[in-house]
Amino acid sequence: MIDRRVFGAAALAIWALCAAAGSSVAVGDTRHDRDAPIDVGADHIELQDKANRAILSGNVRVTQAEMTLNAARVTVAYTGQVTDGSPEVSRLDAAGGVTVSRPDQRARSNYAIYDINSRMITMIGAVNLVQGDNVVNGGRLTLNLDTGKAVIDGSSVSGSPAGAGTSTTSGRVTGRFSVPKRSQ
């Protein structure tokens, strides 16, 4: 288990998002505002009311509080219930160059699932997690938005997200962490 103290004040933090055994990281001191509204934008939106979903495609941008998700395509599942004139969203499934970011953190992958009810984000396929100079790569990242705990494993899902420069297909988690400069 890797504790955020290993990374000093710049704790490796992404909400963004791992299941299964692997490396575990406490990610940030602030919790995500899970009750904030979810705003979406895309080049194209197809509403499928009978199926309780919407398909967003082309330069998709989803924001909730300080968290932003960008992808080529996102399927928004909703419960059929309406609160304050808006449908209650239960899940977001993202594909194609997925990036989840907060002000000082970023995670990239091929796919992501944001389960609104469980407050979990799972990113799959060539995961790249970055905060400052700290970088961790793996196959799958699960982030608990309530606790801030992220788990990265070396799942063999492969492929390289756009701009990541590295991918993990060996089943291992890899990373590089900055070391604080010491005065002599």
Side-chain angles (χ1 to χ4, degrees):
M1 182 138 182
I2 301 171
D3 186 86
R4 74 171 183 244
R5 291 172 293 196
V6 172
F7 310 114
L12 179 61
I14 296 246
W15 73 121
L17 321 66
C18 252
S23 298
S24 168
V25 182
V27 293
D29 295 325
T30 60
R31 291 205 168 116
H32 174 68
D33 182 1
R34 62 188 184 197
D35 296 321
I38 295 172
D39 296 313
V40 300
D43 293 341
H44 181 79
I45 298 178
E46 176 184 329
L47 297 175
Q48 299 176 349
D49 281 338
K50 289 185 180 181
N52 288 334
R53 71 177 169 225
I55 310 290
L56 292 76
S57 58
N59 300 307
V60 179
R61 180 178 176 94
V62 178
T63 59
Q64 184 181 36
E66 292 186 335
M67 184 172 69
T68 301
L69 181 147
N70 293 301
R73 179 182 170 101
V74 173
T75 300
V76 178
Y78 47 95
T79 64
Q81 302 294 323
V82 176
T83 302
D84 297 327
S86 297
E88 291 182 3
V89 175
S90 60
R91 178 177 163 142
L92 302 173
D93 291 2
V98 181
T99 301
V100 179
S101 57
R102 293 197 315 188
D104 66 338
Q105 303 133 4
R106 180 183 72 248
R108 295 181 191 184
S109 68
N110 297 327
Y111 308 97
I113 300 164
Y114 178 12
D115 185 328
I116 308 295
N117 297 325
S118 69
R119 315 288 198 237
M120 298 289 290
I121 296 175
T122 303
M123 298 183 79
I124 303 166
V127 174
N128 174 261
L129 178 63
V130 177
Q131 180 182 10
D133 293 335
N134 302 315
V135 179
V136 177
N137 300 294
R140 179 173 42 198
L141 164 70
T142 301
L143 178 72
N144 182 320
L145 294 174
D146 285 339
T147 65
K149 181 178 179 180
V151 177
I152 298 173
D153 73 24
S155 169
S156 63
V157 176
S158 64
S160 181
T166 60
S167 66
T168 298
T169 58
S170 65
R172 295 181 53 87
V173 176
T174 62
R176 173 169 283 188
F177 303 102
S178 60
V179 177
K181 305 284 188 234
R182 291 193 261 181
S183 59
Q184 296 178 340

